Amino acid sequence: MTTWEPPAPALSVRQVLALERVLAGEPEVVAGAGRLDRPVRWVHVAEAADVGVMLSGGEMVLTTGVLLAGDEHKQTEYVRSLHRAEASAVVLGLGRAFPSPPEAMRRAAERCQLPLVVLHRPFPFAQLTEEVQSRLVRRKFAAVSLSEAVRTELTALITGGAPLQRLLDEIARHSGCPVVVTNLAHRVLGTAGERSAVDDVLRDWERIARQAGRTEGDGWIRAELDGRGEPWGRLVLCGYRGDTETGRLLADRAAEALVLHRMLGGAGCSWEEQSALSLLTDLVGGAVPARHLLPRARAAGLPVNRRTFVPLVVRGRRAASLDRTLRLLGLPGIAGEVSVTATAVLLSLARDQDAEALTAHFAARLRAEPADGHVVVAAAAARTSFDDVPAGLREARHVADAVADDAAALDLPPVVRLRDVHLRGPVRLLRDEPQVQSFAERELAGLLRDPGEDLLPVLRTYLATGRNKSRTAQLHHVSRPALYRRLEAIQARLGVDLDDFEQAASLHIALLAHDAQQR
């Protein structure tokens, strides 16, 4: 798909004066030369002295001045009325009424900084009006066509179930500039556009966002996002190269689509969660250096200057629940579900705060809340450099995965760290080695060939609890005699003695490797 080029900006006074038909009239700018880049919205031929009351702004007014000749007061008031009406320029045809530029009009126009142009040769105003109006109509039609095309394309994406990022990418393609979506607190919820250009925008986002929220200029165009009359965010086109009117049309169509997308999103992942997930996924993946993700982290509301970062992975809790807990405890951080069962959390703490104590407090709060399953909070060592965060997140995920299957059976601390996983850690790292895979298959073959009796989970719990039969029976909700029968069946199938430490240890390692391979 080719990149769309925005329509050229609306005609300016300077561009109108450069038209071939206008040059035939030998135009000369006698006042307001510094304002020739004003846009021309329309061309209006008027001889009335009070023409200003008939204008709405942006018009280039053409006149012979026949009703102004001989009265300097009228000439001055004529210019002032055009200035008050925000006309873009006034063009005076020299001739019988004014053989030379009138000084009173020139002085008044210079004071008002209203471009005053005189035509030295007779010139039919109808030709200029026709030329400019046809160009403006074509531009207006192009802007409306763009608006409808964008609406149609975005609606098709929404009805097709496209994610938010796909919509933003399409908006950026049409606008030809970075696109940013924020909530009302200026926290960035999504971006699109050329990566380097987006990073430049996000690098100083808070200052830029507040400035863009007050005024529009230099291609910064915003549209409010609201539902049922309540605003909840903004869409910002950052450095739009087309004319402002077209940019506003494009921004409005995009905003309508984003509001519709959010309304149809139901109870799915919120945009805030998607933003956090995208950042955390890129950090964990490591394809992009962490320092290049700093602008996104800062724009997402995560403090990054002189902070201590604590990488966590939590099992048994969704991102929305973790976000609520973070807010409740007043802990700055972001959370995102990096897999069906694991949610990554990145805490950002002040350097003088006790990172270990606050992490333990966070974990204790999570474990105290009602949950359907066992909650595991895995943590890596705190980092003082953002560059070290990706390695920390990968370490925390490794720890969480290492204890995932036996979390209920193991006597785990509130916050599980690398030192707590013992043998599980290196076995998981070696799970793809062919020798390890062969060892696991060989040791467990008697149970893997016929898993119908559900003996493998019993063996897993029995070994994870340190061969504690009472605890194993309790976790599997069976009586002691029933457990004994299952253990005897396991020994018969595998041809081992579970009371022999070495044989039990060998089975334990094989089972850890098998579980790691299955995950």
Side-chain angles (χ1 to χ4, degrees):
M1 189 176 291
T2 57
T3 301
W4 177 85
E5 288 293 332
L11 285 174
S12 66
V13 175
R14 190 188 308 278
Q15 289 173 314
V16 171
L17 298 181
L19 294 176
E20 187 175 349
R21 288 186 177 183
V22 179
L23 290 175
E26 296 183 6
E28 178 189 359
V29 179
V30 296
R35 306 300 298 275
L36 296 182
D37 290 320
R38 282 180 168 181
V40 176
R41 191 181 60 82
W42 207 243
V43 176
H44 192 65
V45 180
E47 299 292 351
D50 59 348
V51 63
V53 300
M54 298 181 281
L55 305 181
S56 56
E59 294 90 350
M60 173 179 277
V61 176
L62 311 180
T63 182
T64 61
V66 66
L67 300 181
L68 305 175
D71 190 331
E72 291 191 356
H73 175 72
K74 279 187 177 181
Q75 296 168 20
T76 300
E77 185 54 35
Y78 180 81
V79 171
R80 288 175 178 169
S81 70
L82 293 179
H83 172 63
R84 288 193 295 269
E86 298 182 349
S88 60
V90 57
V91 178
L92 175 65
L94 299 181
R96 185 177 55 182
F98 290 103
S100 62
E103 186 61 22
M105 290 184 69
R106 191 198 66 77
R107 287 196 304 268
E110 195 64 51
R111 283 194 298 269
C112 296
Q113 280 299 289
L114 174 71
L116 172 61
V117 182
V118 297
L119 300 175
H120 288 279
R121 296 187 63 180
F123 183 83
F125 284 166
Q127 290 186 11
L128 173 58
T129 303
E130 179 185 6
E131 175 83 10
V132 175
Q133 309 301 49
S134 64
R135 288 174 180 261
L136 291 175
V137 167
R138 286 199 299 271
R139 287 166 186 266
K140 183 70 173 179
F141 178 75
V144 173
S145 297
L146 167 66
S147 170
E148 291 308 308
V150 169
R151 173 184 279 157
T152 301
E153 290 181 24
L154 295 182
T155 301
L157 288 174
I158 293 169
T159 55
L164 170 65
Q165 189 59 52
R166 180 71 182 85
L167 264 68
L168 295 181
D169 289 341
E170 191 68 11
I171 295 167
R173 185 180 72 82
H174 279 289
S175 65
C177 67
V179 175
V180 178
V181 175
T182 77
N183 62 14
L184 295 180
H186 306 297
R187 176 177 172 179
V188 173
L189 306 180
T191 63
E194 184 183 344
R195 188 74 265 162
S196 60
V198 171
D199 287 345
D200 287 341
V201 168
L202 296 184
R203 203 160 278 122
D204 194 19
W205 173 250
E206 188 167 344
R207 180 189 64 79
I208 290 173
R210 295 187 186 283
Q211 181 176 334
R214 291 193 298 268
T215 59
E216 287 187 350
D218 298 326
W220 288 76
I221 300 173
R222 67 186 187 277
E224 299 297 320
L225 304 175
D226 60 61
R228 298 174 183 173
E230 286 293 326
W232 49 264
R234 293 185 183 91
L235 167 80
V236 185
L237 305 183
C238 308
Y240 180 72
R241 300 194 307 273
D243 68 277
T244 302
E245 184 177 356
T246 302
R248 288 200 183 106
L249 276 173
L250 176 58
D252 287 344
R253 295 297 84 76
E256 290 171 5
L258 294 179
V259 169
L260 179 60
H261 184 277
R262 186 174 175 112
M263 288 173 57
L264 297 179
C269 185
S270 72
W271 289 6
E272 288 81 358
E273 291 168 17
Q274 291 180 48
S275 172
L277 173 58
S278 174
L279 175 59
L280 289 166
T281 300
D282 285 346
L283 284 169
V284 172
V288 181
R291 63 181 177 277
H292 293 168
L293 298 173
L294 264 174
R296 284 174 58 191
R298 185 182 293 110
L302 186 74
V304 295
N305 295 328
R306 297 188 57 78
R307 307 293 287 187
T308 297
F309 303 99
V310 183
L312 306 171
V313 169
V314 179
R315 287 184 173 272
R317 282 283 187 271
R318 303 298 298 271
S321 171
L322 295 175
D323 269 331
R324 285 193 297 270
T325 303
L326 288 172
R327 288 195 297 271
L328 185 64
L329 298 178
L331 293 175
I334 55 175
E337 293 165 18
V338 291
S339 74
V340 176
T341 57
T343 302
V345 180
L346 182 60
L347 301 181
S348 175
L349 308 175
R351 291 281 176 88
D352 58 355
Q353 291 181 295
D354 189 334
E356 193 157 330
L358 288 174
T359 303
H361 183 45
F362 176 64
R365 184 65 184 238
L366 292 180
R367 292 162 73 97
E369 296 173 357
D372 295 333
H374 200 77
V375 176
V376 174
V377 180
R383 267 66 175 170
T384 56
S385 171
F386 196 74
D387 286 343
D388 298 331
V389 167
L393 286 169
R394 289 191 290 270
E395 178 185 317
R397 188 169 186 178
H398 165 65
V399 171
D401 288 347
V403 300
D405 288 313
D406 300 324
L410 295 170
D411 184 19
L412 297 173
V415 179
V416 188
R417 301 183 183 276
L418 193 59
R419 62 176 178 266
D420 301 313
V421 301
H422 304 298
L423 184 62
R424 296 169 179 273
V427 168
R428 183 176 179 277
L429 293 176
L430 295 170
R431 68 188 183 276
D432 294 327
E433 292 292 332
Q435 295 90 339
V436 174
Q437 293 173 358
S438 297
F439 168 74
E441 291 289 326
R442 184 173 63 252
E443 289 289 299
L444 302 171
L447 297 181
L448 296 177
R449 279 196 298 267
D450 185 13
E453 294 184 41
D454 206 26
L455 297 177
L456 202 63
V458 173
L459 176 61
R460 182 183 292 111
T461 304
Y462 180 64
L463 297 174
T465 58
R467 295 184 292 177
N468 186 322
K469 295 176 182 177
S470 298
R471 179 67 173 150
T472 302
Q474 179 185 15
L475 289 170
H476 283 274
H477 309 288
V478 298
S479 65
R480 289 283 292 269
L483 176 66
Y484 293 156
R485 288 193 295 272
R486 295 187 185 187
L487 293 177
E488 289 169 1
I490 291 171
Q491 292 182 111
R493 291 276 192 89
L494 299 179
V496 298
D497 178 4
L498 291 177
D499 290 330
D500 182 277
F501 176 77
E502 186 174 339
Q503 293 182 54
S506 181
L507 283 176
H508 194 193
I509 295 171
L511 194 55
L512 291 176
H514 170 75
D515 290 342
Q517 291 160 13
Q518 295 303 304
R519 285 198 296 275

